Amino acid sequence: MSTTDANEAVDAAMPLLARVPMAVRWGDLDAFNHVNNAAFLVYAQEARLDWLAGIEGAWFDETMMPVVAAAQVNYRRQLGWPARIVVELATRRLGNSSVTIAHRIVDASDDTLVYADGEVVMVWIDPAGGRSVPLPPAIRAACQSLVESGATTSK
């Protein structure tokens, strides 16, 4: 497997958690008139929050909350305004207290146009002590049910 293949975030073998459509905003542009590199992480964050909001069961409270432990983005092509994109999310890895979520940002009308891909590691911690805690059952169930069934969600 080449480095490019190894880094491609959402592949056919990983069932999708979500496909979240969104619009590129004028404010996302930089001085070179294309989407600023940091905006890609915001798109992935918004998609994760959209996915998390739809999970049945507790995934955060005063004893547990997710934090981003690592974020990685591969910039594949420039993205301009106006544009409509879709952020695809998939589970890459389930750990004891973490989940690695792959993301792929594609054109809304042609998902072969990939603007960026990568992954984020989310770790659940106890906010009072800052130490990791077991992955909430609701998160594990949401990720495992898709992996076992091969199902996808689309929003």
Side-chain angles (χ1 to χ4, degrees):
M1 181 180 293
S2 73
T3 303
T4 301
D5 292 338
N7 288 335
E8 288 195 17
V10 179
D11 65 30
M14 292 186 288
L16 292 177
L17 295 172
R19 294 188 83 243
V20 182
M22 57 185 76
V24 171
R25 299 167 294 244
W26 176 260
D28 296 340
L29 301 181
D30 63 15
F32 300 108
N33 217 24
H34 62 261
V35 172
N36 182 277
N37 62 325
F40 289 88
L41 286 169
V42 173
Y43 299 153
Q45 172 184 272
E46 288 179 14
R48 286 192 314 275
L49 289 171
D50 189 74
W51 168 68
L52 286 167
I55 290 178
E56 293 183 25
W59 56 269
F60 80 96
D61 60 25
E62 65 279 350
T63 66
M64 62 176 174
M65 63 180 266
V67 295
V68 172
Q72 185 262 332
V73 178
N74 301 306
Y75 301 98
R76 304 292 181 187
R77 67 174 53 230
Q78 290 186 22
L79 176 57
W81 179 91
R84 299 217 40 94
I85 57 173
V86 173
V87 181
E88 298 175 338
L89 301 177
T91 303
R92 180 172 302 282
R93 180 186 170 280
L94 277 172
N96 293 324
S97 61
S98 67
V99 60
T100 302
I101 298 178
H103 55 261
R104 193 170 85 125
I105 300 169
V106 300
D107 190 87
S109 61
D110 180 359
D111 65 6
T112 66
L113 290 176
V114 179
Y115 296 109
D117 58 28
E119 63 186 31
V120 169
V121 178
M122 295 173 61
V123 177
W124 266 257
I125 65 165
D126 173 355
R131 299 188 76 64
S132 64
V133 298
L135 198 63
I139 296 294
R140 186 169 299 282
C143 294
Q144 284 179 329
S145 65
L146 287 173
V147 169
E148 291 166 4
S149 71
T152 63
T153 61
S154 181
K155 296 184 178 189

